[in-house]
Every structure is written in structure tokens, then in C-alpha cells.
Amino acid sequence: MANSRKPSRSSGSAPRRTRTSRGGTGSGSDAKGGRKSGGSGSGRQVYPDADRFNSYTGIRALLNPIWCYHGFRIAVLALTCFGVVMVFSSSAVTMISQGSSPWKQALSQGGYCILGLILGWVASRVPHGTYQRYGFRFVCGSIVLQLLTITPLGVSVNGNAGWIGIPGVFTMQPAEIVKLALCIWMPSAMLVAVERYERLGLKAYTKPVGVFVCTLGAVMVGKDLGTTMILVLIGVTSLLIGGFPGRWLSGVGAVLAVCIALFVIGSPNRMRRIMATYQPCTTDAQQDVCYQAIHAKFAMGSGGLLGVGIGNSREKWNYLPEAHNDFIYAIIGEETGFLGAVMVIALFAVLGWSLVCVALHMRHRYVSTVLVCITVWIVGQALVNIMVVVGLLPVMGIPMPFISAGGSSLIMCLVAAGVAASMMRAQPQIKAATATLGS
């Protein structure tokens, strides 16, 4: 009797016909809908929902995570390079008046830029899980560094004891490290607290809130109100997104507001700055507490549409104090005009949009919260700086991220950008695209 079994498929039998992907000849489709590369035999596999990117057309292309990733990197590089140019332009006259080379501040800023880019690249190669694992050690170390400002190593600048080092040789601002440390650790602590909330109740939030208060206290010891406000924004954002109970969050906000108010009232100089911002300046105040704000407005007002040209500022001739630091945006408005000032705002808008869009695409709660915290830090600080320059907020000594002169701020902003890039690559489509491009 003949064998009735169906013959098995051998290597020499005709292959089973499969449906090919659109535009391909011989490329198969996996069970989940993800496409594999075809005729070249490379075997590269794209993530299952890669086809969904075909819907990012027209205005929806602004939501494409890959576009956001590269837009973020371009915005950071553009702001950094533009900042080096503007630091040179705004500081050259001041350096000459001090008997130094006009290139001194620009070369220093360029060196910080190179160091920051290197450290930022290293930070971008660290897996996001490593940041989550060692975040608590990082924030504790940053608090210790900040407390060194009240030791003999502390250096006071313009009444703020927020630096450590040797004057004229080396100084650094630990508060910039505290900002990044809080962005990295606080979201992780909130995830743990949410898991323990049903079992422990409000006690589950003791650790994140306690450490947050410690960071604020360490910075407030140095009388740095501006940095304290940025830390409050970061911390409140982490609490809000992390699931801190709303009725208690309003209470925490009220306590923080009272503490900051008492901190301001306890300083006559700060009260004078606030009153000078929201009340007409007297004749005496115009040469004292209002002087910097008035000359910042002179610079912004004289820029017009296109500006007076790079290097042609009048206010930088020792009329506007801190022209290359906290008030560099006034020189930008004077030399590049309305268009240049708007361009800077647009770059920060691109940076913030890119981070938030990728955060919304992210399924990893820790990563998305870190991205939002970094956005609040960098974009929020830029907005505060701009509002100070145009007179909407009192002078509080907050530099513009990536642009203002200063090594601590520039380096830590670039490191934060590297951390953000590492977090963004946790998104599947960005991970696939960067693996292909090797970036």
C-alpha cells in the first residue's frame, strides 16, 4: 500500500509564496507587522510600529519622535555656538577696560563649551537605567558640594555665597549640579513612593519631599533666591507628575511660597529690587537699584528690527553691568534686533517642544518625567532670564542656559542635554533610528 503521508518540504522544493511589503521585492513581514530588510540580506529589523510613522505627514510631522530628537540636538548646538559668539561680543570691551585681552572671556567660554560637549556626549552614552540606579547618590553628593559654600572654600559673588573654589584660579557653582541631580533622582523616588502609598499612606513621600527640602535649604543658605525658584519648579513638577496627592501638593506649594516670601522680606536689597520693578523708579534709584534694569531696556529698545550689528552694541561699553552674564539677552536684542531675540526664543521653544513630545511618546514613566523636569529647568530658566531683562520680573541673577558666560551653567546644561538624549533614545523609534545612523 502506498504511503499516504504528505511529502515533507525539502531544501530543493519550491518555496512557499509570501506577501511582500510595499515597494519591496522579497522582503517578508513578521507576525507583529514589523518589516524586515529585503534583498540585501542584511536582516535589519525595524520596530513593529514603524509603519505608524507614515501618518506623520504635514503638520503632524512636528510630533514625529525622530524629528524631535534631532531637532533637540540642533537647538542645543545652535544655542551653544550662538552663545560663544555673543559672549565674545558682549565682553570684549569689559575685558579691555580691565587690562585683559578682548578674547579672554570668549576663549574661556569656548573651553567650557568643548568640555561641556565632551561630558554631554559621555552622559548621552550612559543607559537611562544607570541614572535611575545611582540617582540618590548623585543628589546626596550635590547637596554636600552645595554645603561647601558655607565653609572656607565658599566664594561670595555679588552677595550670593553660591560658589566654591579659589578666587582668580578656579570657581564652580554647585547649585547647577543640584538642578540636574534633582531632575534625575526625584522622578525615581516618586515612582517608589507611589508604589508604597497604599501601604504606608503619606509617609511614602517622606523621602522625596525630605530630600527636596534639603536641596532647597542648602541653596538658600547661600542666599541664592533665583536658583531656589528654579529648584522649586523642578521639585513641584516631579511631585505633580509623580502622583503626589493633590490636596497635599497645594499645602506644600503654600509652605514653599511662605518660605520664599519670608526669605525675600528678610533681605532689604531684594525688597528694593522688587519694589523698583513694579513701581516707578525715583531719581536716586535710577542710579542705584534701577540702573541695570533701565539700561537693559535701553539696549532692547535700540535694537529695532534687525539690530545695530554684531559687535556694535553701545550698552556693553560698561553701561550695562553683567552684559555677558545675566543680561546677555539685552545685548542680543540690541545687536541682532527683534528677529535675533525672537530666534533665541524660538530655539528654546523647539528644545522644549522636542523634549515634551518625546516624553509623551514614552511608555517608561521614569524617563518621561525626567525629560519633563529637564524641560522645566532649561526652558523655565530661560523664560525667567528673559522676563528679568524686559522688566517683568525683578533682577535675581539667573543666567540664560547655553548662552550666558559662566562655566558651571554651560557645562551642566550640556550635560543635562546629554542625559536628555540618553533618555530620548529609550523611545523605540528613536532607538532604532539612532542605531542605524550610529548616533
Side-chain angles (χ1 to χ4, degrees):
M1 185 174 180
N3 191 352
S4 60
R5 288 187 306 170
K6 293 182 181 180
S8 60
R9 189 178 301 273
S10 62
S11 59
S13 60
R16 184 172 54 187
R17 180 175 298 176
T18 59
R19 183 171 53 186
T20 58
S21 61
R22 182 182 303 177
T25 56
S27 59
S29 176
D30 62 9
K32 295 181 181 180
R35 296 181 179 178
K36 299 180 180 179
S37 61
S40 62
S42 60
R44 180 175 59 85
Q45 181 175 347
V46 181
Y47 278 77
D49 50 349
D51 288 338
R52 186 167 56 86
F53 276 17
N54 294 331
S55 64
Y56 291 111
T57 58
I59 191 64
R60 284 181 56 81
L62 297 176
L63 302 175
N64 189 325
I66 298 177
W67 283 34
C68 291
Y69 174 74
H70 294 298
F72 166 75
R73 298 172 70 189
I74 291 172
V76 169
L77 289 176
L79 287 169
T80 304
C81 294
F82 182 66
V84 174
V85 174
M86 290 309 304
V87 165
F88 169 66
S89 177
S90 59
S91 65
V93 174
T94 303
M95 294 298 103
I96 293 174
S97 66
Q98 295 176 354
S100 302
S101 168
W103 295 91
K104 179 181 178 180
Q105 190 67 55
L107 291 175
S108 176
Q109 189 76 355
Y112 294 139
C113 175
I114 294 173
L115 178 59
L117 288 173
I118 294 173
L119 294 178
W121 180 85
V122 173
S124 70
R125 299 297 153 179
V126 178
H128 64 86
T130 302
Y131 290 113
Q132 187 173 6
R133 189 178 305 114
Y134 296 101
F136 183 66
R137 299 179 186 179
F138 186 22
V139 75
C140 289
S142 66
I143 293 175
V144 171
L145 284 176
Q146 181 63 33
L147 291 176
L148 289 178
T149 59
I150 60 177
T151 68
L153 291 176
V155 177
S156 179
V157 178
N158 296 329
N160 291 340
W163 282 259
I164 58 175
I166 303 174
V169 179
F170 167 77
T171 57
M172 65 172 293
Q173 192 174 10
E176 298 297 330
I177 303 177
V178 174
K179 294 176 187 176
L180 179 58
L182 202 62
C183 289
I184 290 174
W185 175 77
M186 195 82 171
S188 176
M190 290 303 299
L191 287 177
V192 175
V194 169
E195 294 176 355
R196 298 177 177 177
Y197 179 70
E198 292 186 1
R199 180 167 51 90
L200 299 177
L202 200 62
K203 293 181 180 179
Y205 296 99
T206 301
K207 184 175 181 179
V209 174
V211 174
F212 174 48
V213 171
C214 288
T215 60
L216 295 181
V219 173
M220 292 178 71
V221 166
K223 301 179 181 180
D224 191 347
L225 179 60
T227 301
T228 302
M229 290 181 59
I230 301 301
L231 291 177
V232 168
L233 288 177
I234 296 172
V236 171
T237 300
S238 297
L239 293 173
L240 182 63
I241 299 178
F244 192 77
R247 64 182 183 276
W248 293 103
L249 182 60
S250 58
V252 171
V255 171
L256 291 175
V258 171
C259 291
I260 292 176
L262 293 175
F263 189 61
V264 171
I265 295 173
S267 173
N269 182 45
R270 291 191 182 90
M271 285 299 300
R272 291 172 61 218
R273 289 183 180 182
I274 293 175
M275 300 303 293
T277 302
Y278 301 114
Q279 289 185 355
C281 289
T282 63
T283 303
D284 293 336
Q286 289 180 3
Q287 298 299 320
D288 185 16
V289 70
C290 292
Y291 182 84
Q292 197 172 24
I294 289 175
H295 281 273
K297 294 177 182 178
F298 286 165
M300 294 293 294
S302 61
L305 179 63
L306 300 177
V308 298
I310 299 291
N312 295 327
S313 167
R314 303 177 185 90
E315 291 297 327
K316 72 180 182 182
W317 288 76
N318 291 332
Y319 291 109
L320 176 62
E322 305 296 333
H324 57 288
N325 289 324
D326 303 336
F327 279 77
I328 195 171
Y329 189 71
I331 304 301
I332 292 173
E334 183 180 11
E335 295 190 346
T336 64
F338 175 78
L339 293 181
V342 170
M343 180 198 70
V344 171
I345 296 176
L347 287 173
F348 279 109
V350 170
L351 187 150
W353 175 272
S354 301
L355 289 176
V356 171
C357 280
V358 175
L360 293 176
H361 281 89
M362 199 73 65
R363 297 180 180 178
H364 200 298
R365 187 67 176 271
Y366 167 74
V367 173
S368 61
T369 307
V370 172
L371 290 176
V372 174
C373 288
I374 292 177
T375 304
V376 169
W377 164 22
I378 294 178
V379 178
Q381 183 169 317
L383 288 177
V384 170
N385 178 274
I386 293 171
M387 293 173 72
V388 168
V389 171
V390 301
L392 296 178
L393 288 177
V395 177
M396 58 183 68
I398 292 182
M400 176 167 281
F402 302 109
I403 294 181
S404 292
S408 299
S409 176
L410 178 59
I411 291 174
M412 293 313 301
C413 284
L414 289 173
V415 172
V419 173
S422 172
M423 300 288 175
M424 294 170 84
R425 281 202 294 274
Q427 208 276 341
Q429 287 75 33
I430 297 177
K431 182 177 181 180
T434 53
T436 302
L437 297 176
S439 59

